[in-house]
Amino acid sequence: MRTVVFDLDGTLADTGADLIHAANACFRARGLGDLLDPETDKGIGMKGGRAMLTAGFTCHFGQADEAMVLDDYPRLLEYYAENIDVYTRMFPGAVDAIGQLRDAGYAVGICTNKPEGLAETLLQRLGVRDLFDALIGADTLSERKPHPMPLIECVKRLGGDISRTVLVGDTITDHNTARAAGVASLLVTFGPDGEKVKELQPDAVLTHYDDLQDVVAGLIG
């Protein structure tokens, strides 16, 4: 079974604004106002809640207090869970492209460093959960990307063949995961890192989901 596994944030869905708003809610609760910009700081959002809090506190105070980060992290997750799909949308063409892959006989899943529960909630709210037959989150297993275990387990759950697998992502974490698992690395250029992903020398890049099936076929048939 030919298998295509996707990262979620920054690859399938543009989640950055909702992530940044969750961090800003924590800053506002401390009377600091909005410390991060939903557009220009999207890349920080893709690095996770602690990274956003650290960046915001560093911007305001000159350095981040780890205790403040730890205190606010649960609040950030709570706010984000309640407001997970206010601004988030699937990238243009993604839904149709994934449907075409499934119709062509590819197994399709998700391997993300988002907590599994949040990933499940987001996919349900976006109405696309049924497109993916396996979902591995940051806390599903004992390891997370870039360790190869989550990707390998995702392929296993899909009934796929690891030697005929593509990992579609948007960051060095996804690229390193693919390399560690010995699968093809396909990086999108419309994520937060943009064209910079080409510097990682992945097996291929994707500039629009309209080209997905052709690019995948070129990698694994």
Side-chain angles (χ1 to χ4, degrees), residues 60 91 104 109 123 146 189 221:
H60 186 79
F91 281 110
L123 293 169
T189 61

Side-chain angles (χ1 to χ4, degrees), residues 147-159:
H147 196 285
M149 182 192 293
L151 174 57
I152 293 170
E153 177 63 20
C154 188
V155 174
K156 179 181 178 181
R157 293 187 184 187
L158 289 167

Side-chain angles (χ1 to χ4, degrees), residues 27-214:
F27 302 141
R28 288 197 301 272
R30 289 183 177 273
L32 304 178
D34 291 348
L35 301 181
L36 298 177
D37 185 273
E39 286 300 321
T40 59
D41 290 324
K42 274 186 179 181
I44 300 173
M46 299 302 158
K47 296 178 181 178
R50 293 180 181 85
M52 289 188 291
L53 293 170
T54 298
F57 289 138
T58 299
C59 177
H60 186 79
F61 296 112
Q63 63 180 12
D65 185 322
E66 184 62 23
M68 293 172 68
V69 172
L70 292 175
D71 283 346
D72 280 4
Y73 184 63
R75 301 186 188 100
L76 184 151
L77 292 180
E78 181 179 1
Y79 181 92
Y80 182 61
E82 294 173 355
N83 301 275
I84 199 168
D85 63 336
V86 176
Y87 301 101
T88 294
R89 300 292 182 271
M90 294 288 281
F91 281 110
V95 173
D96 288 342
I98 294 163
Q100 290 166 8
L101 283 182
R102 292 172 58 91
D103 291 344
Y106 293 88
V108 182
I110 290 177
C111 182
T112 174
N113 274 351
K114 200 183 207 71
E116 182 179 347
L118 289 177
E120 184 75 42
T121 297
L122 179 59
L123 293 169
Q124 292 284 356
R125 291 195 186 177
L126 293 176
V128 297
R129 180 63 181 90
D130 291 345
L131 290 176
F132 306 96
D133 295 318
L135 167 63
I136 302 292
D139 52 356
T140 306
L141 307 172
S142 60
E143 300 285 352
R144 57 189 286 173
K145 297 185 298 185
H147 196 285
M149 182 192 293
L151 174 57
I152 293 170
E153 177 63 20
C154 188
V155 174
K156 179 181 178 181
R157 293 187 184 187
L158 289 167
D161 181 348
I162 196 69
S163 69
R164 300 189 73 188
T165 296
V166 176
L167 176 60
V168 185
D170 68 306
T171 66
I172 189 172
T173 298
D174 299 309
H175 179 69
N176 288 345
T177 303
R179 289 289 180 258
V183 309
S185 170
L186 172 56
L187 298 181
V188 304
T189 61
F190 42 80
D193 289 342
E195 297 285 334
K196 290 182 179 180
V197 298
K198 293 179 179 178
E199 297 173 4
L200 300 174
Q201 298 184 323
D203 296 291
V205 296
L206 186 69
T207 59
H208 194 284
Y209 270 108
D210 288 349
D211 303 321
L212 178 64
Q213 189 166 344
D214 287 341

